[in-house]
Amino acid sequence: MSSAIAIETRRALKEYGTGSHAVRALDGVCVRIDKGEFFTLLGPSGCGKTTLLRLIAGFETPTSGQILLHGKNITTVPPNLRPVNTVFQSYALFPHLTVADNIAFSLRMLGRSRSDVLQTVERMLSLVRLESFASRKPQQLSGGQQQRVALARALAPEPKVLLLDEPLSALDLKLRKEMQRELKRLQTETGITFIFVTHDQEEALTMSDRIAVMRSGKILQVGAPREIYNHPVDRFVADFIGETNFLSGRVEGDKIRLSSGELVAAETEGHSGSVTLAVRPEQVGICPAGTSDSLTAEIVDTVYFGTDTHCHLSLADETELVARLQSPPSGNIGLSRGEKVGIKFNPGAVQVLNE
Amino acid sequence: MTIVSDRAFSVSRLPGFATIAVTVLVMLYLPIVLLVLFAFNAGPSPAIWEGFSLHWFPRAWANEQVKEATIRSLVIATSAAIISTSVAVLAALGTTRRRKSPGQTFVYLMINQPLMVPEIVTAVALLILFGFIKVATGYQGLGYLILAHSAFCIPFAYLPIRARLEGMDITLEIAAADLYATPWQAFRHVTLPMLMPAVAAGFMLAFITSLDDVIISLFVKSAGQDTLPTYMLGQIRRNMTVEVNAISTLLIGLTVILLTAFFLLTRERNRPQK
Amino acid sequence: MSSAAEIAAERKERRRSWLLSAPALFVLLFAASGPLLIILVYSFLPPGKYGNVEWGFSLDAWVGILYSRDIFDGTYKLADAHLTIFWRSLKLSLYTTLFTFLVGFPTAWFIATRSAQMRAVLLFLITIPFWTNLLVRTFAINQLIRNEGVVNTFLIWTGVIDTPIQIVYTDFAVFLGMTYVYLPLMVLPLYATIDRFDMRLLEAGCDLYASRWQVLRHVIVPVVKPGIIAGSILVFIPSLGAYVTPRILGGGRNMMIGNFIDLQFGAGRNWPLGAALSVTLLLAVAVALFVYVRYATRDDNRV
């Protein structure tokens, strides 16, 4: 089904510098991104996500490997001949041009007719709701407005793929939330493939159809947000996406013996020997001490977060873990430091990761 | 002006510094102000005030030598500024925003060379070289002066252009390429418009530099090719008249106008970034 | 390891860089750097009778820098006149550098510690004289100090003196003129470094019990040293090669090297000597620049 694939990279490898000073930014990445998909590259800074984006945009050529767009090899095609556009982290709006001229830039470069340019610019301005700002200069706009202009400018030539390089990182929290919804709306309305780069896991989870988690130039896991969150392939992914408690133990039949000596039920198939258990804090329940099938723990501290209260616990061997409990209406969860309690994990919430 | 010790304590204030600074600023302007003032003197003395008059200006202009020298100076300065700015723009594009290389260092050194070599040395060198060419070709025109001026104006044109290019966000050109601009279109529609203020600034500095030159002009010029400064030098040596004050006043006025324009142009550059 | 495409791109980039620089390099080679080689050649030729040179090889010009041959017995002895000129050039250049620093530093400091708006205005005021025609500025000084100039006229008019004080055509006049015309060259680089100076260092200094002078000596001067060196070199080099200022204010008798070179190409009719003197001046400048680069890079490494 190659016709459904927008972008494919084949063993894309990028090194900077030469000889022994070479730094491998991208280490043979293979990934397929479907048409019309909202695809996110997620990872900490320096993981190679921006490099991958720049290879797709054509700003750089891979040291080896191939980039395919709609099945066609575009590895060495210069950026001005690729039907791929970028929304830059700094927006890169032309300061000497008005908003309308910025949006019209690509159309003029492509030699579109005057009426076509006018029409498209108008359509784009209404798409990003900036109709009344057409004749302003970029520096006269707020950050959020500049962001919209950058989007409109990149969407104007109707690219096959839109690349977004951490476009929301310069905005404050409230505006960012608003732009996240706006981006999702634009993607649905235009049907264009979006490739979005971010280091913000929450942003990735809320917006994406699929996420690729990257680290040290490699893709660790590709999947839908739910899949990545609930079934991380390794400790790094589990830790990077949301908060996670890690417990070490050994497989014993269909159970796992924790380092504290207690037994926990888990899906152990395919695992043996030493393993790490990953449990999300919201999947940890607290019950009275001594309840059957519960682990014994002691309250170390409770931290009030408004809707939630985080309860820091310590197991018998001093392994620490966190339980996230909904705050009761009174706000006081009724647990005090040093209190002995029992803890239970929700069924199916315990992920077994090989060491 | 004395420093009063019971003023509020400020760490950056050093005793006596303000007095010296104000004196320096006054002394920097006093000679120029007096020079300009006596250009409006009714009498023939540059020291005894005999009333206000504008008559030295038309009188200077009526002098055929002054008129010719002025026109010659302007022709040379304009040509040299155009040539030096053009080649400086190209050189700046060729030497900025890339990895450092030995070749680049060589280009820097070459471009800045006129700032380091004493003018008198270049002047006698050109006297010899152009002497050969004059004999060989028989050409005696302004070309020599224009070429020599173009050369020593290059660093002045180059510096502001290079500074601007280095401050320019390279992402803008990448964005242009992303938006289907060919390299030439990206230069024509993005780089050049944003570079224009610096090009204008470089042009002005080159123009002033050429207009001010005495030494190289003195050695390179053929007979009867006085520029305004070489004419003035000749006059100062003979008998100084207030006519020289009048010409000086006009030169100072021109410098102030060009510099003001330069400052406004370079200030413009800082705005879009913030 | 880079791919062939990357290497090709890099090579293309380098070629483009050279092509773009070529026109500027051509103009400079032809009308600035190249001719300097001719000077070097000329310094090894015998002089022509009526100026210019004859073709041949001679070290006379180089010997002639320091020694003069007695017309009668042909013996060489030190040319006192030449030495006086060299010494005057060096002395006046050093005085000028020192004095411009002494008054330029407080000025730069004063400007750098004003409000942003005031700073812009004061800087502009320093820049105007800098770009004003050197000849005009020297002429302005001349008009002020010559016998029938403003200063003397004023002093006679007030009765302080009854004959004019001879200021112009002395070494002092040349020093005064050079200080006046090159002062902005000292103030501007000093300002640039002081402007970047972190004023909190002063608070730290004062906090650690340093007096104002101790702060100046142990905090400010060491930190702004690169600016001091840059300013000194910017003043020293043009002072050493000065021509216009000593010509107008020093007259024919108080020559500096620049005027001495000019003389060889004019009335002196000894082009090779003029060429050798030019090369010598160039070497002196190169030494000064070398010292500057050594200091500047050493400071970079330390910080």
Side-chain angles (χ1 to χ4, degrees):
Chain A
M1 275 258 298
S2 73
S3 62
I5 296 173
I7 288 281
E8 180 179 355
T9 70
R10 292 181 177 163
R11 306 193 58 74
L13 186 138
K14 180 69 185 174
E15 280 179 346
Y16 296 102
T18 48
S20 57
H21 298 292
V23 176
R24 190 166 289 187
L26 214 54
D27 196 359
V29 166
C30 297
V31 68
R32 288 177 176 185
I33 298 161
D34 295 333
K35 285 182 186 166
E37 192 175 25
F38 196 118
F39 191 89
T40 299
L41 299 169
L42 174 67
S45 62
C47 72
K49 54 189 194 300
T50 298
T51 306
L52 183 55
L53 201 73
R54 291 172 67 83
L55 292 186
I56 297 172
F59 304 146
E60 285 173 58
T61 40
T63 308
S64 67
Q66 290 182 336
I67 314 280
L68 281 75
L69 173 71
H70 286 202
K72 230 176 69 200
N73 185 352
I74 55 158
T75 313
T76 55
V77 175
N80 56 313
L81 300 177
R82 290 188 192 201
V84 171
N85 293 128
T86 306
V87 176
F88 293 86
Q89 186 171 10
S90 59
Y91 314 144
L93 297 175
F94 303 123
H96 61 294
L97 299 179
T98 62
V99 167
D101 287 335
N102 261 284
I103 297 174
F105 189 90
S106 61
L107 306 169
R108 296 205 171 116
M109 294 303 120
L110 291 168
R112 298 274 174 82
S113 74
R114 189 180 285 265
S115 62
D116 189 7
V117 171
L118 274 175
Q119 258 174 22
T120 313
V121 169
E122 215 157 289
R123 198 154 42 83
M124 285 301 136
L125 281 170
S126 76
L127 186 69
V128 296
R129 300 170 186 149
L130 283 175
E131 292 93 334
S132 51
F133 294 91
S135 54
R136 297 266 190 102
K137 288 282 182 72
Q139 56 271 28
Q140 296 170 301
L141 302 180
S142 71
Q145 290 166 337
Q146 290 186 13
Q147 168 76 79
R148 284 163 206 263
V149 178
L151 268 167
R153 186 179 72 172
L155 285 171
E158 290 170 4
K160 290 192 171 129
V161 176
L162 185 75
L163 308 174
L164 301 107
D165 186 7
E166 308 217 15
L168 307 180
S169 60
L171 304 177
D172 63 40
L173 186 67
K174 196 154 167 262
L175 204 52
R176 196 153 67 217
K177 297 273 183 214
E178 199 183 304
M179 283 308 297
Q180 284 176 5
R181 292 202 358 246
E182 180 91 7
L183 271 179
K184 195 67 196 166
R185 175 182 72 84
L186 285 172
Q187 199 256 333
T188 326
E189 263 176 48
T190 56
I192 290 173
T193 311
F194 276 35
I195 304 179
F196 186 84
V197 159
T198 184
H199 62 267
D200 183 334
Q201 43 104 4
E202 196 187 310
E203 207 165 87
L205 291 175
T206 52
M207 299 168 74
S208 321
D209 294 321
R210 285 198 301 155
I211 298 171
V213 184
M214 296 186 67
R215 184 198 191 186
S216 330
K218 286 193 169 104
I219 291 183
L220 303 177
Q221 186 173 10
V222 182
R226 259 171 244 281
E227 193 184 332
I228 300 239
Y229 188 80
N230 291 325
H231 302 286
V233 291
D234 65 9
R235 190 177 173 135
F236 176 80
V237 176
D239 199 23
F240 193 73
I241 314 268
E243 286 166 57
T244 308
N245 293 304
F246 293 106
L247 304 166
S248 52
R250 291 185 67 81
V251 178
E252 280 187 15
D254 61 348
K255 296 210 166 175
I256 287 166
R257 185 167 300 279
L258 297 178
S259 52
S260 64
E262 289 156 310
L263 278 173
V264 180
E267 189 57 61
T268 57
E269 214 179 294
H271 298 282
S272 60
S274 291
V275 290
T276 299
L277 297 187
V279 190
R280 301 284 180 192
E282 66 271 21
Q283 306 291 355
V284 180
I286 294 192
C287 50
T291 308
S292 65
D293 288 340
S294 74
L295 308 175
T296 313
E298 187 185 314
I299 307 278
V300 176
D301 201 4
T302 58
V303 184
Y304 178 65
F305 273 89
T307 55
D308 296 335
T309 299
H310 290 194
C311 192
H312 292 257
L313 300 149
S314 157
L315 295 181
D317 65 335
E318 305 211 325
T319 307
E320 292 227 350
L321 78 169
V322 178
R324 188 187 293 161
L325 310 170
Q326 207 171 21
S327 303
S330 69
N332 192 343
I333 200 153
L335 294 168
S336 50
R337 188 175 299 177
E339 199 176 328
K340 296 270 187 214
V341 292
I343 55 173
K344 277 190 165 186
F345 303 136
N346 292 342
V350 179
Q351 285 293 311
V352 183
L353 311 169
N354 281 326
E355 285 278 274
Chain B
M1 200 172 157
T2 52
I3 304 296
V4 185
S5 59
D6 56 56
R7 247 190 273 174
F9 181 83
S10 158
V11 282
S12 63
R13 194 163 47 78
L14 292 160
F17 275 32
T19 318
I20 297 175
V22 171
T23 312
V24 161
L25 282 164
V26 169
M27 289 314 291
L28 217 45
Y29 278 88
L30 186 68
I32 300 180
V33 168
L34 283 172
L35 180 78
V36 171
L37 186 70
F38 279 101
F40 298 96
N41 191 4
S45 163
I48 302 160
W49 185 252
E50 291 174 28
F52 179 86
S53 164
L54 283 172
H55 73 100
W56 286 107
F57 291 91
R59 218 163 121 176
W61 189 245
N63 183 336
E64 205 59 37
Q65 275 176 298
V66 173
K67 202 189 281 180
E68 275 175 23
T70 307
I71 292 167
R72 201 173 287 119
S73 270
L74 291 176
V75 167
I76 294 168
T78 310
S79 317
I82 290 173
I83 294 171
S84 58
T85 311
S86 316
V87 300
V89 169
L90 296 177
L93 286 170
T95 52
T96 49
R97 306 189 295 178
R98 62 189 65 239
R99 253 174 284 165
K100 273 219 161 91
S101 67
Q104 201 179 333
T105 314
F106 170 73
V107 177
Y108 282 161
L109 269 178
M110 282 289 290
I111 286 176
N112 289 314
Q113 183 260 84
L115 299 179
M116 299 181 278
V117 174
E119 235 187 306
I120 184 75
V121 176
T122 310
V124 297
L126 288 174
L127 170 78
I128 298 170
L129 175 70
F130 290 163
F132 277 125
I133 300 176
K134 280 176 189 172
V135 169
T137 63
Y139 173 68
Q140 300 272 335
L142 282 184
Y144 302 105
L145 279 167
I146 291 172
L147 189 63
H149 280 229
S150 300
F152 69 72
C153 287
I154 287 175
F156 295 93
Y158 173 81
L159 290 174
I161 297 170
R162 185 190 146 187
R164 169 89 190 197
L165 264 176
E166 293 205 321
M168 212 188 277
D169 185 2
I170 200 149
T171 341
L172 292 174
E173 279 143 291
I174 295 176
D178 185 56
L179 297 164
Y180 312 108
T182 61
W184 166 249
Q185 283 175 318
F187 175 73
R188 168 74 189 74
H189 294 287
V190 177
T191 318
L192 195 61
M194 296 201 333
L195 201 57
M196 267 336 272
V199 173
F203 181 91
M204 271 175 233
L205 292 191
F207 188 86
I208 297 179
T209 307
S210 165
L211 202 61
D212 283 1
D213 178 73
V214 192
I215 307 177
I216 287 179
S217 304
L218 197 62
F219 282 77
V220 167
K221 76 183 173 74
S222 306
Q225 276 186 344
D226 261 323
T227 63
L228 209 45
T230 61
Y231 170 78
M232 283 165 69
L233 186 67
Q235 289 306 299
I236 292 168
R237 213 164 21 159
R238 290 184 205 110
N239 52 334
M240 271 179 285
T241 66
V242 181
E243 184 184 281
V244 180
N245 291 47
I247 302 169
S248 301
T249 302
L250 290 178
L251 275 177
I252 293 168
L254 189 61
T255 307
V256 172
I257 291 168
L258 287 174
L259 271 185
T260 311
F262 170 82
F263 268 85
L264 293 177
L265 280 169
T266 42
R267 185 179 290 185
E268 184 83 359
R269 141 184 117 195
N270 298 326
R271 234 187 340 157
Q273 282 163 358
K274 258 282 147 197
Chain C
M1 215 181 71
S2 320
S3 69
E6 283 174 280
I7 294 170
E10 167 103 24
R11 194 169 295 161
K12 197 175 149 197
E13 177 83 357
R14 206 173 301 158
R15 203 177 53 214
R16 201 182 69 106
S17 165
W18 278 112
L19 275 176
L20 285 169
S21 308
L25 292 181
F26 175 77
V27 174
L28 287 162
L29 263 179
F30 188 70
S33 306
L36 298 182
L37 283 177
I38 302 181
I39 296 238
L40 189 64
V41 173
Y42 261 53
S43 69
F44 290 104
L45 298 178
K49 231 181 195 139
Y50 306 103
N52 215 328
V53 288
E54 277 163 18
W55 297 103
F57 177 80
S58 161
L59 283 175
D60 284 355
W62 285 99
V63 175
I65 287 181
L66 288 181
Y67 298 94
S68 56
R69 182 157 41 175
D70 195 296
I71 314 167
F72 301 107
D73 58 14
T75 54
Y76 286 96
K77 61 171 194 261
L78 272 178
D80 292 339
H82 298 195
L83 291 179
T84 312
I85 290 171
F86 299 151
W87 174 237
R88 181 184 296 119
S89 294
L90 190 65
K91 186 182 67 182
L92 289 180
S93 301
L94 286 174
Y95 283 171
T96 303
T97 309
L98 188 69
F99 194 71
T100 50
F101 170 70
L102 288 179
V103 299
F105 185 82
T107 308
W109 183 267
F110 178 78
I111 297 174
T113 51
R114 297 304 99 185
S115 70
Q117 221 168 1
M118 193 66 182
R119 257 197 329 252
V121 172
L122 290 175
L123 212 55
F124 188 59
L125 285 180
I126 295 283
T127 319
I128 288 179
F130 173 63
W131 285 105
T132 299
N133 199 318
L134 181 93
L135 186 68
V136 169
R137 282 184 290 157
T138 312
F139 177 52
I141 288 285
N142 181 297
Q143 217 172 59
L144 203 60
I145 60 173
R146 67 200 176 117
N147 292 1
E148 53 278 24
V150 175
V151 169
N152 275 317
T153 309
F154 180 76
L155 289 177
I156 291 172
W157 178 70
T158 52
V160 176
I161 51 173
D162 29 65
T163 49
I165 309 168
Q166 181 67 39
I167 310 172
V168 82
Y169 307 135
T170 61
D171 280 1
F172 177 74
V174 178
F175 158 75
L176 197 69
M178 292 206 302
T179 303
Y180 179 66
V181 296
Y182 297 132
L183 185 65
L185 288 170
M186 178 64 87
V187 176
L188 292 174
L190 278 176
Y191 168 80
T193 37
I194 296 173
D195 193 39
R196 272 180 279 137
F197 182 81
D198 183 357
M199 291 297 168
R200 276 169 305 185
L201 292 180
L202 296 182
E203 292 172 3
C206 289
D207 184 50
L208 298 166
Y209 314 110
S211 71
R212 284 187 195 284
W213 288 112
Q214 283 172 317
V215 165
L216 180 67
R217 164 86 184 70
H218 296 286
V219 182
I220 299 172
V221 169
V223 174
V224 300
K225 203 166 140 204
I228 298 175
I229 298 168
S232 303
I233 214 79
L234 281 178
V235 171
F236 183 75
I237 288 181
S239 300
L240 203 59
Y243 172 80
V244 173
T245 311
R247 174 161 165 181
I248 295 176
L249 297 175
R253 296 177 51 192
N254 301 65
M255 266 190 277
M256 286 177 60
I257 299 182
N259 313 90
F260 194 45
I261 292 171
D262 175 30
L263 184 70
Q264 305 313 319
F265 285 88
R269 287 190 189 154
N270 193 343
W271 287 30
L273 178 60
L277 287 167
S278 298
V279 176
T280 311
L281 176 58
L282 212 50
L283 287 175
V285 168
V287 167
L289 277 174
F290 180 73
V291 170
Y292 165 65
V293 170
R294 276 289 292 275
Y295 264 101
T297 49
R298 205 178 61 185
D299 266 44
D300 276 355
N301 293 340
R302 216 189 304 154
V303 174

